[in-house]
Amino acid sequence: MVQPPESRATHTRRRLLAAVPALAVSALLGKPAVVRAEAAALATVDMELVLLACQVDPPKAGTGTTPGAEAHVLAVEQALQAKGLLAAAQTDGHYGTSTLDAYAAWQRSLGYTGLDANGVPGRTSLTQLGSGRFDVTRTVATGSRTDSYGGKRVNTRTADMLRAADSALSWSLVLTQGSYTSSNPGSAGTHDGGGVVDISVSGLTTTQRWHTVRALRTVGFAAWLRTPDDGFAYHIHAAAVSDPDMSRPARNQIHDYYFGRNGLANHAADNTPQAYRVPFTWWERYRRG
């Protein structure tokens, strides 16, 4: 059976149906079903925090963990270890390359390929991995991979983010490059997956360009103004934080952004003026206010 794209697949009702016999047995034994259900409650894994660690942890020197994510990553790693996909030494709350490789093996075992087997959890594979071990909260999904914005291909999550940023500006966002494309070798693979776009700044003043960067960052993009000093024609490069379809080079840019760097090969300090910086966030967190 061909699996649907992991980032868009829907939850099954397997857990709900499986719970029915247990409740029936509780009633027959004369014990309160609610008490028994609470006793059997599973741990929870916050998918948003696991995705954050997928971006922040792998490029690190060492095995430091991402604040807030360690316990959630550890639960995922313990499940991978139980399936024989991850060694005990790498079951440490750090979502490094060993965990990426182990999770990719889990995705392949479910029949996924390509972007759906990139080692980054999608909500379907994460739910299946957690069966009997943990429940998944705060799920993230990309939606359709063939959506568009201004005529450029993006996924639905990215399109929604661009619309939100656009609404905060009195000028329009114009994309020069979308996602899921390897047509521009100068992009170094960052556009190969989802969540990454380039935006024209033609006709905008310097102040307007920086306001655009801030609007994009506010809704959850890692965004930088690229200039000839960086080796590029003027444009804004934006990568949607925590997009499950993101290529590894783009995820490494999120790591840079998280630590205040420029997302380029030199990993220099972010040159965005302080007035146009915002606290690190992602789309789902922004929508919760």
Side-chain angles (χ1 to χ4, degrees):
M1 179 178 71
V2 177
Q3 289 277 18
E6 166 161 28
S7 57
R8 294 190 287 120
T10 56
H11 292 292
T12 69
R13 291 182 291 174
R14 184 181 303 143
R15 282 185 51 75
L16 178 62
L17 295 174
V20 172
L23 295 175
V25 169
S26 296
L28 290 172
L29 292 175
K31 296 180 180 180
V34 172
V35 172
R36 291 179 59 86
E38 288 178 350
L42 301 179
T44 60
V45 165
D46 186 322
M47 183 175 171
E48 291 181 20
L49 292 177
V50 173
L51 289 177
L52 178 62
C54 283
Q55 302 158 107
V56 175
D57 288 354
K60 286 178 181 174
T63 57
T65 59
T66 298
E70 180 178 358
H72 303 278
V73 171
L74 184 59
V76 172
E77 290 177 325
Q78 288 169 338
L80 291 170
Q81 182 189 359
K83 292 185 179 297
L85 299 173
L86 186 66
Q90 277 77 50
T91 305
D92 55 7
H94 168 82
Y95 207 111
T97 54
S98 295
T99 304
L100 278 170
D101 291 343
Y103 202 94
W106 165 243
Q107 290 167 318
R108 290 193 298 271
S109 77
L110 299 176
Y112 293 115
T113 60
L115 285 174
D116 293 312
N118 62 359
V120 178
R123 61 182 179 182
T124 302
S125 69
L126 189 58
T127 299
Q128 289 179 277
L129 180 66
S131 180
R133 301 183 69 96
F134 58 77
D135 288 318
V136 182
T137 63
R138 291 185 172 175
T139 59
V140 177
T142 62
S144 171
R145 288 174 175 161
T146 57
D147 210 329
S148 65
Y149 193 88
K152 300 297 183 181
R153 181 183 173 188
V154 296
N155 60 46
T156 303
R157 181 178 185 263
T158 304
D160 289 342
M161 293 173 68
L162 289 167
R163 275 189 287 270
D166 208 337
S167 69
L169 302 168
S170 58
W171 51 92
S172 298
L173 297 179
V174 177
L175 271 58
T176 58
Q177 186 174 188
S179 307
Y180 304 105
T181 175
S182 57
S183 61
N184 184 356
S187 297
T190 57
H191 289 257
D192 288 5
V196 180
V197 297
D198 286 341
I199 297 168
S200 172
V201 296
S202 178
L204 299 182
T205 67
T206 298
T207 298
Q208 287 174 322
R209 292 172 180 181
W210 288 123
H211 273 294
T212 303
V213 169
R214 184 171 64 185
L216 290 162
R217 290 183 172 193
T218 297
V219 303
F221 283 101
W224 299 272
L225 177 63
R226 300 304 191 207
T227 73
D229 288 342
D230 301 319
F232 301 95
Y234 281 106
H235 71 281
I236 292 172
H237 179 76
V241 176
S242 294
D243 187 305
D245 278 358
M246 194 171 282
S247 68
R248 186 170 293 194
R251 295 199 305 271
N252 290 346
Q253 288 187 318
I254 305 302
H255 169 93
D256 255 24
Y257 178 62
Y258 184 86
F259 288 106
R261 303 182 190 129
N262 64 5
L264 295 173
N266 62 10
H267 307 293
D270 182 5
N271 67 352
T272 303
Q274 193 63 43
Y276 301 100
R277 300 188 186 194
V278 301
F280 184 92
T281 193
W282 54 90
W283 175 237
E284 291 75 17
R285 189 181 191 184
Y286 162 77
R287 293 184 70 191
R288 287 195 296 272

